[in-house]
Amino acid sequence: MSDTPAYTVVVPTIGRPCLAECLRALAEAAGHAPHEVIVVDDRPEPDGDLPLQSAGQLLDRVRTLRTCGKGPAAARNAGWRTVRTPWTVFLDDDVQVLPDWSRLLAEDLRQAGEEVGGIQGRLRVPLPADRRPTDWERNTKGLENAAWATADMAYRTRALTRVGGFDERFPRAFREDADLALRVERAGWTLERGTRVTRHPVRPAHWWASLPAQRGNADDALMNRLHGRDWWDRAQAPRGRLRRHLAVTGAALAATSCALTGRRRAASVCAALWTLGTAEFALARILPGPRTTREVAGMLGTSVLIPPLAVRHWLRGIVRHRHARPLGGAG
């Protein structure tokens, strides 16, 4: 495959055990091996060594960097800015490339025209075959349809240089990939979906994992500021339930206000609207799932808390990013 452009793999990690499987799968992918594998250690306080030995035959090509808890955007930036190959391939530490991944990646890169700035891998999320998936598992399954997800995304290195890489104002693994994709497209490149396939297992999570996930609403507010309110369509991103969360939270606040001011009938109507909205949200999450006692209890509890949390993070994002400008000052 001497005519195939060289590439470097960048893997940001916070030291999760899944990193070992990620590196092992990468080493076992036969075909067009990476020029280098850069593992960016983003642990705030490293506790022990990373399982780099899992890289097997690629171990002599592994290089590590430290970013000390600055977040996935900063970790990826630290990695790609040291890349010396025409292409940079980002992999998350919780994915596992398939055995033919490097061969198919070579085809993706070889067929890319000069106008192509990025090529996305196809994600596959395995779900349990013996039961219905949980709410968390279904959410992870949604990654299969996500556009330009950096769980497996190859970018032309000079495209990254042109747009400045990832915007580090996105502190989580959320929306930083959509923001980058929109800026790469705005710079004149096109993005494509490739043929290679990467497995993305569902990582273990607590029943309340959906609560901290609501912080992503602040990132949506930043996206609105940077790219306009039509960014959802251009980034091929689902809109979610923020509008319904606003209505449900508004009903709860109105019910409380009316009750405190003695308007009992209005308070009852608003309380009924809040109850109906919360029940609809809970049922939408419970009915497709396994409906175990644990799952139902978790969905009921979090369905009460998610709307006000989502609204709170969204409002904080609006205030925090009210003066934000796109990376590079464009827009």
Side-chain angles (χ1 to χ4, degrees), residues 217-239:
N217 285 282
D219 302 316
D220 285 347
L222 176 56
M223 288 291 289
N224 284 345
R225 179 66 188 174
L226 298 179
H227 300 287
R229 294 187 178 277
D230 64 339
W231 72 266
W232 303 88
D233 296 329
R234 288 184 284 122
Q236 303 174 42
R239 279 191 170 270

Side-chain angles (χ1 to χ4, degrees), residues 247-272:
V248 170
T249 303
L253 292 174
T256 302
S257 175
C258 290
L260 291 175
T261 55
R263 292 177 289 172
R264 295 183 179 180
R265 177 171 295 182
S268 297
V269 171
C270 292

Side-chain angles (χ1 to χ4, degrees), residues 5-29:
Y7 70 97
T8 298
V9 173
V10 174
V11 183
T13 185
I14 52 174
R16 297 183 295 188
C18 53
L19 174 64
E21 291 300 319
C22 176
L23 295 176
R24 185 175 296 111
L26 186 62
E28 293 174 354

Side-chain angles (χ1 to χ4, degrees), residues 141-262:
K141 183 74 171 177
L143 290 172
E144 292 187 346
N145 299 318
W148 327 130
T150 40
D152 179 357
M153 185 72 191
Y155 274 107
R156 205 179 287 275
T157 305
R158 61 189 174 93
L160 294 171
T161 302
R162 172 85 173 272
V163 303
F166 292 90
D167 190 332
E168 296 179 17
R169 288 173 292 184
F170 292 91
R172 289 164 286 277
F174 189 70
R175 301 304 190 207
E176 85 290 356
D177 46 10
D179 167 75
L180 175 61
L182 291 177
R183 286 187 286 111
V184 168
E185 288 183 322
R186 189 171 61 207
W189 278 283
T190 61
L191 301 176
E192 296 182 348
R193 294 181 185 270
T195 59
R196 66 193 187 276
V197 178
T198 295
R199 185 173 180 267
H200 191 306
V202 179
R203 62 182 175 86
H206 296 293
W207 63 267
W208 63 83
S210 56
L211 299 181
Q214 300 311 309
R215 294 170 183 154
N217 285 282
D219 302 316
D220 285 347
L222 176 56
M223 288 291 289
N224 284 345
R225 179 66 188 174
L226 298 179
H227 300 287
R229 294 187 178 277
D230 64 339
W231 72 266
W232 303 88
D233 296 329
R234 288 184 284 122
Q236 303 174 42
R239 279 191 170 270
R241 297 179 64 102
L242 179 61
R243 292 178 180 177
R244 296 188 186 187
H245 292 336
L246 284 166
V248 170
T249 303
L253 292 174
T256 302
S257 175
C258 290
L260 291 175
T261 55

Side-chain angles (χ1 to χ4, degrees), residues 268-290:
S268 297
V269 171
C270 292
L273 291 174
W274 172 83
T275 301
L276 288 173
T278 302
E280 182 275 330
F281 182 37
L283 287 173
R285 302 170 71 205
I286 291 170
L287 293 180

Side-chain angles (χ1 to χ4, degrees), residues 27 33-37 52-53 55-63:
H35 172 77
E36 194 174 29
V37 179
L52 302 181
Q53 295 297 325
Q57 61 184 354
L58 294 179
L59 184 58
D60 61 344
R61 304 188 185 201
V62 174
R63 178 162 57 90

Side-chain angles (χ1 to χ4, degrees), residues 7 89 100-110 154 196:
Y7 70 97
V89 180
D100 61 353
W101 181 84
S102 60
R103 177 179 62 81
L104 294 176
L105 171 64
E107 295 181 10
D108 291 342
L109 300 183
R110 192 163 48 239
R196 66 193 187 276

